Each structure stands twice: as structure tokens, then as C-alpha cells.
Amino acid sequence: YLTFDDGPIPEVTPWVLDQLEAYNAQATFFCVGENVEKYPEIYQAVLDRNHLVGNHTFNHLNGWSTDSKEYLDNITKCARLVHSDLFRPPYGRLRPSQARSLFENYKVVMWDILSGDFDASLTGEQCWENVRNNVEPGSVVVFHDSVKAKDRLYEVLPKTLAYFRERGYVFRGVD
């Protein structure tokens, strides 16, 4: 399962959509509400190309450092734009009380492979090796459709799609 966090944004998301289309790959985009509000046409393109979406908070909040009411209100604000029962916490961080509240209405989707494309201290090749060496059937891989990750993503995503397609993998959205 290929997943993308933090978009949609004009600098990266359309390119990601084209890459996925070239390999007939479906993915799940965990969208920041603020970006959906700014770029509704790109969000609509994600939906039009038959990808799944999930809530990633309105302002990309860290659950550990945000009051629970504020955090849950921020998720609700995003939900007004992103209609999905999928949720991924930014940074993978939730307080137990936040998790209990979220489990009532959402499927919380974590991951087992973090590509590292967001980390400027890594090269695209290092991100690629991280993905290639750790993926197993059923893995949930996190990439980022963000400006910060762009250079590394542009290297690792095409390699990931080609390599795993050649090995018989099928890319689907998280269900």
C-alpha cells in the first residue's frame, strides 16, 4: 500500500498522480485540510483518479504537543473537507485519550515502512534502499507529497513503482 502524507500541493501532487497512473497504481493520500482548502482542484484530481483519501488534521498538528480538545477539533475541521473514515496522525503521534476518541469514528492507519523522503539528511538512494530492503507483501509505505520531500520522492517513487511491479506487486489504496 502506497500512502502519501501532507498534500495536496501543486508542486508535487500532480506529478505523483502521473507516476501512479503510469503504473496503474492506486494509493491513499492523507490530506492536510489547509492544503485541501487552498488547492481544491488538486484534491479533486486525487479523487477523480480513483485514489483514496484520509484525514491528516487541518494544520498538521502533533498529537503529543497539542491539547486533546484542540487536536480533535482540528481533525473535525479537516473532516469538513476530507470525507473519509481514514485518519493518520501527523508524526504518528497520538495521546491515548486522542486515540480512544478517534477509534470511535476512524480507522487509524499507521505504517510499517517510512521511506524517509522528508529527511533532508538522506539521499534519494538511501530512501530507495530503505523501501526496497524492507517491503513485504501487505506493507504500508509512507511517502510525502510535499516540497520538503520533493527531490528524494522524485528519485524513490519511480524506482519503487517499477521494481515492485516487475516482481508482481499490485498497488491498492488502504481499505
Side-chain angles (χ1 to χ4, degrees), residues 16 30 47 54 88 119 140 159:
V16 170
F30 289 91
L47 297 173
R88 174 172 286 157
D119 186 344
V140 177
K159 287 180 181 180

Side-chain angles (χ1 to χ4, degrees), residues 22-23 56 159 174:
Y23 287 90
H56 200 49
K159 287 180 181 180
V174 175

Side-chain angles (χ1 to χ4, degrees), residues 64-88:
W64 286 359
S65 59
T66 306
D67 170 78
S68 289
K69 181 179 181 337
E70 178 186 350
Y71 189 74
L72 296 170
D73 287 349
N74 200 267
I75 293 165
T76 299
K77 186 175 181 181
C78 181
R80 291 184 190 117
L81 300 166
V82 178
H83 304 113
S84 174
D85 66 348
L86 302 177
F87 175 77
R88 174 172 286 157

Side-chain angles (χ1 to χ4, degrees), residues 31-39 57-60 78 81:
C31 300
V32 172
E34 185 175 41
N35 288 337
V36 173
E37 191 171 75
K38 286 183 197 171
Y39 310 112
T57 74
F58 190 84
N59 299 108
H60 202 263
C78 181
L81 300 166

Side-chain angles (χ1 to χ4, degrees), residues 101-164:
S101 293
L102 287 167
F103 290 152
E104 293 175 16
N105 299 305
Y106 290 95
K107 296 174 190 168
V108 177
V109 180
M110 300 303 271
W111 59 86
D112 61 312
I113 310 292
L114 191 59
S115 67
D117 59 354
F118 61 91
D119 186 344
S121 72
L122 297 177
T123 65
E125 183 63 25
Q126 288 170 310
C127 296
W128 161 236
E129 290 173 8
N130 182 41
V131 172
R132 185 189 67 218
N133 294 335
N134 293 295
V135 163
E136 303 174 348
S139 285
V140 177
V141 183
V142 178
F143 295 107
H144 293 80
D145 55 333
S146 68
V147 171
K148 183 167 78 168
K150 179 181 176 180
D151 292 342
R152 288 164 296 283
L153 179 66
Y154 276 34
E155 183 171 342
V156 70
L157 182 59
K159 287 180 181 180
T160 298
L161 290 163
Y163 180 85
F164 288 104

